């Protein structure tokens, strides 16, 4: 019994469709993971900057209230302040950032170092 090449006609096309489909699914998953990581890094940066700006306002280095300074800075970084707490010139902010389909929150704390006593 001899096998001819006619029986394999089109099988490479089916294999290539499968390979391309798997590659596209993997690429989509990697892009989604990268987008999430970028959103997380951006939100943490915005939270850090907002907390530092709030702490600077709390000790009198910047005009205005600590939470107002934190809000201005967060908005400048594309985020918005969800909560802002001030206690003894230490500012704790939670920011919310929407980046495409991603919705990310981050928290930061800033202020003068504690006094040992």
């Amino acid at each position: 019994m001899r096998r001819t090449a006619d029986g394999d006609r089109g099988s490479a096309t089916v294999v290539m469709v499968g390979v391309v489909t798997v590659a596209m699914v993997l690429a989509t998953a990697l892009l989604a993971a990268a987008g999430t990581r970028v959103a997380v890094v951006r939100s943490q940066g915005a939270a850090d900057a907002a907390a530092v700006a709030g702490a600077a306002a709390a000790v009198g280095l910047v005009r205005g209230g600590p939470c107002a300074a934190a809000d201005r800075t967060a908005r400048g970084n594309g985020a918005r302040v969800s909560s802002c707490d001030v206690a003894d010139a230490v500012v704790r902010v939670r920011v919310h950032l929407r980046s495409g389909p991603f919705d990310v929150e981050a928290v930061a704390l800033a202020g003068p170092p504690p006094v040992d006593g």
Side-chain angles (χ1 to χ4, degrees):
M1 188 182 283
R2 193 168 172 181
R3 204 168 177 166
T4 64
D6 292 337
D8 293 335
R9 187 171 300 241
S11 63
T13 304
V14 174
V15 170
M16 282 308 295
V17 167
V19 168
V20 169
T21 301
V22 168
M24 293 298 290
V25 168
L26 286 174
T28 302
L30 287 173
L31 286 175
T36 302
R37 180 67 184 148
V38 167
V40 166
V41 169
R42 282 187 59 215
S43 67
Q44 191 60 56
D48 291 342
V52 169
V59 296
L61 296 174
V62 177
R63 287 188 197 161
C67 291
D71 188 54
R72 278 192 311 270
T73 304
R75 288 186 188 278
N77 284 293
R80 67 177 175 80
V81 173
S82 301
S83 68
C84 176
D85 300 313
V86 182
D88 297 329
V90 175
V91 179
R92 181 181 187 271
V93 294
R94 178 182 301 270
V95 300
H96 175 84
L97 183 123
R98 180 124 178 109
S99 177
F102 306 108
D103 203 18
V104 183
E105 280 193 347
V107 177
L109 181 74
V115 178
D116 292 334

